Amino acid sequence: MSKPLYVLNGPNLNLLGTRNPEVYGTTTLADIEAMVRERAGACGLEVVFRQTNGEGTLVDWIQEARSEACGILLNAAAYTHTSVAIHDALEAAELPVAEVHLSNVHRRESFRHRSFVSPQADVVLAGAGAYGYVMAVDWFAQHLDR
Ligand code: DQA
């Protein structure tokens, strides 16, 4: 049986819908999960969808993905800009990785311009809102060796 796509979400993304709607819109994480599941289902992909506020938990999940997943769609949120541990976990995972951000991080504060995820990512999507997750699912559907 083929392995699922891990869709991992980092800190504060549980607050989507009410958090800075002028930046992140009003779509909730549950809405995003529904969009991801719908597109993945249409592409014949299974999904494990999770959110955590903990850096170590993200590292644990990336390590788990190493043996349990076909790929990782990651919005590491603020840890994108700080976490060498997430960089190293992705490097060790040796899986296809899509980095997704709802907002265009390059049009925001300069501390968001640096990503520790991008060097390990095959695809980087920023600024498309929730649709970025759907595009990333499409990319996995096209590129996974199934
Ligand atoms: C984010 C962008 C990050 O800079 C920020 O810390 C987030 C969300 C995004 O999806 O646009 O929490 O990853």
Side-chain angles (χ1 to χ4, degrees):
M1 216 175 77
S2 55
K3 294 174 179 175
L5 174 65
Y6 271 33
V7 181
L8 304 180
N9 295 280
N12 301 305
L13 294 174
N14 54 314
L15 302 178
L16 285 176
T18 54
R19 171 195 183 200
N20 300 11
E22 66 287 351
V23 176
Y24 298 115
T26 53
T27 308
T28 66
L29 195 61
D31 295 333
I32 294 174
E33 178 172 357
M35 290 166 73
V36 162
R37 287 192 184 284
E38 189 184 331
R39 182 58 65 102
C43 299
L45 276 175
E46 267 186 63
V47 163
V48 169
F49 192 101
R50 297 179 185 161
Q51 186 275 332
T52 178
N53 293 325
E55 181 180 9
T57 304
L58 274 178
V59 170
D60 287 342
W61 288 346
I62 292 165
Q63 288 190 10
E64 179 186 307
R66 195 164 177 252
S67 58
E68 302 303 319
C70 63
I72 302 171
L73 188 169
L74 176 64
N75 184 350
Y79 294 137
T80 304
H81 316 298
T82 61
S83 180
V84 177
I86 288 173
H87 170 283
D88 289 356
L90 290 169
E91 187 174 45
E94 295 183 333
L95 286 171
V97 173
E99 173 183 2
V100 175
H101 301 284
L102 296 156
S103 63
N104 179 358
V105 285
H106 300 289
R107 205 158 67 179
R108 300 180 63 195
E109 303 95 322
S110 57
F111 65 82
R112 295 183 203 276
H113 299 173
R114 176 178 193 184
S115 168
F116 286 92
V117 173
S118 293
Q120 300 303 331
D122 299 286
V123 171
V124 181
L125 290 158
Y131 186 53
Y133 283 71
V134 176
M135 286 196 277
V137 169
D138 272 345
W139 179 81
F140 279 108
Q142 290 298 316
H143 287 83
L144 286 175
D145 193 15
R146 289 186 285 165

